[in-house]
Amino acid sequence: MHPHPSFEKLDKLDMETQRSHGHSDSLDQPTQPTEVNIEFDVESRHQRLDLDKKYHDDDESSSMSSHAAAAHVWNRAAIVSAAIAIFGILAGSLFLSFGIASSNSSQERGFRLVADEIVIEFSLAWEDYETAAKWLHQTCQYHPINRTDFRDIFEHVSYDLDIQAAEWIPKVQHDERAALEASSRAYYTENYADINFQGIIGFEPDENASSGVSLQNRTEQPFYYPVFYVEPVEPNKKAIGLDLYSAENRRTPINEALETFLPTVSAPFVTVQSSSSEIQEKSILLFHPGIPLKSQPERKPQDLALLVIKVRDWLQHASRNIPESIGVYIYDVTYGTLNPDFVIAAELHKNIEGDGGERTDLVMLEEMTLEEMDAANLLYQDSTIQIDSRLWKVRTIAIDGTFEPAILSVLVAAIFILVASVFMALWVFSDMRRNGNMNRLKRQNDAEKAALVLQSAREATKMEQELNDYIAHEVRNPLSAALSALTFVKSAMVENPRVETRAINDDVQIVDSSLRFINDLLRSMLDFHRAKTKTMKLKIEPLDLEKDLLIPIRAMLYTRDSAIRIETVCPPGLVIETDPIRMKQVVLNLCRNSVKFVEKGYVRLVVTVENGSVVVTVEDSGPGIPLDRRQQVFSKFQESLDALNQGTGIGLCLCKNMVDLLGGDIYLDETFDSGIEGCPGTRFVINTKLPPISRQEVEKYVNMKDDELSTSLKFIVGEEEMSITEERCKDQELPEELSVLFVDDDLVLRKLFSRSVRKVAKTWNVQDASSGEAALELVDEHTFDLIFVDQYMASVEKQLLGTEATRALRAKGVKSIICGLSANDVEAGFFSAGADFFMFKPFPCRPDELKQELLRILYTRRKESFIEESARSGITLSSMDC
């Protein structure tokens, strides 16, 4: 027999629903909020058993209330006082922390200002030496001098400067050499008998010398730059007669000065005339070529003034006016900063003399590389100064005892804040304790009442919202589609009697029973929400385990051509008193879990009586549950079991809570084996802890509550809640031509709505859209008389809500009748957005119900519009009221 097209759509819908829910256990499983309600009702179920304990706890609580109130006052005072003390500690700590940081920052700023001032002093001090060299050159160049005159010039030049040597270096041609050597020899023999003047000497190649050169009589050269005029003579007598042009480190700056007409400086070096104790002190040579004259632009420099300056003397001169003691390290970075040459390092100590004057003392420091200083974690600042042709890097560092933060004053202030906060905390504690003892009972009662009301309101709001959202989104859409499809199947059988075969009737009966059971379950889930107000009660009535439980569930699980056998074993006529809906929910949930994962074999439902209690077992030949997962099998959200092809998610936890609610017990039988190789299987045992009741007790119950008894395949669907609204406007008919737009993300619901409308209005033009965005595009191209908009439309990306889409439609100037749809109570939101009507889902699919709803929407809209127009015209339409 070929399946009816409506059943094919139902199968497709069921597959889509399972995919969208990630293989959830079943539609019988509520989400976590519902499970919380079940836990709450377990206490209600065992209220009678715990009555004595409750009275005992109440008496104990009453006897301790006065002590608790006093303790509360003390605790509150202690907490406030502790808070004040902690605040004081935090304030003191923060003050101390920020104070130290601020002091450090202030001292660092001061250090950098001092470092900048010292660098400026270094530059000014070098300008003094440069001016002295320029003055020496100008004096010697334009006034022919002798050595006596040069001594006087030196005294003037070195009046305020420490100069190791001042020299006048004339350019001597070779033909002038002999005469100059003779006059110089006569002068030094007459005035300095200890000087053995040998004439012009220089660095000449020497194979025996380690450096390859040695001081010898200068060989014949085109010209020479000898040291003949030098002061003071005695400390520099070793340099007399030395041709500076013979040394590479002198020749380079000489040539640079002659070519550029600018003063040049040699690299720092150890002078030849230094004693052994001064070997580590370096000097520099300052060559000055004079200044160019505008009157003689073509004149080139020939002679040079030379100052030999100890770096230490320059540093001493530069530090005369330092504002604070500091350390300096100087490096020559003329040729780059990668491996700079060390020049000098010293601590500059500013001292106050007895007469109030200031003196700077230098303490020489050992050489350190920049990398070693970086590793020492010192406070320093790097600067560069131009020493004529050379570039020096000056690293100023803070020395011990300088630029230290004023921690002591900050610490004293922090301690004061701490002590003040402690005293304030003690005072507040004493005051609050005194006031609390006077009013503790009133405050305690108010606090407890407010806390209870607030907590109850929060829990109720949260549980209600979560439960409503779950029912609306996860269950009601599939339920609406299934009920609509069932309507079409029944309608097809009515319109075409030849299709009404017994097999189709059986299938329709199975679908009808399943959907009615789902509807009952949804109503039960809504009842869970009432547990918060303690108004939910179990509906205990007789349940025939074979006819009312096993057979209906077997019918629901049955699938044609399936490799799985659905077996039931139950003694006939076995009846217990329990809640049928809850018991069916538990067993059906377990069975659906088994059917989902069993690939071959069976799913067996067995009912037995053990030790006077009825026991229901659900066993299967599935892959079983791993040993390491069995202890958590009833825990919530066991997603890892899904990965092992055993998933229960929240279903098994729901089953356990349901069984607890019914007063029974459920557990996993770990000794079970299905008997099929490779399929160990699973067995869940439900011990109802209820004895079977006799047939006489059943008959007695039937006589008392015949209308409420749940008999075989008779499910309570709440017919009273599905009654059709009384007929209104009976004489109205649907218009012949109307354009309708249905906006919903569910394809099945859109197709079912279109078919439903065409049954009651065949000439209507029905179009659909899957999102609010699509609807906004359609209204640009078409004009619609009636638009239905669903509230929630899911997608991988964010979609407009129904209320948002409605507001956007009105903003575009759409004047159509708009009706909002949702399973949640969002009526106010739709009306606020501009909708004309609101309907709760599911949408009615029966022709008569659908026609009544459409008439109500269209008629009311036309009536309101007519009333508005009539009010402007002064016309009364009381005759149109229904």
Side-chain angles (χ1 to χ4, degrees), residues 739-741 767 778-779 782-787 815-817:
S739 180
V740 181
L741 175 63
Q767 298 188 43
L778 281 176
V779 296
H782 306 278
T783 301
F784 297 99
D785 301 298
L786 179 59
I787 300 177
K815 303 299 183 180
S816 309
I817 302 175

Side-chain angles (χ1 to χ4, degrees), residues 697-709:
E697 293 177 341
V698 174
E699 294 296 334
K700 181 180 179 180
Y701 188 88
V702 170
N703 294 332
M704 293 177 59
K705 297 183 177 180
D706 181 66
D707 294 336
E708 299 178 4
L709 182 60

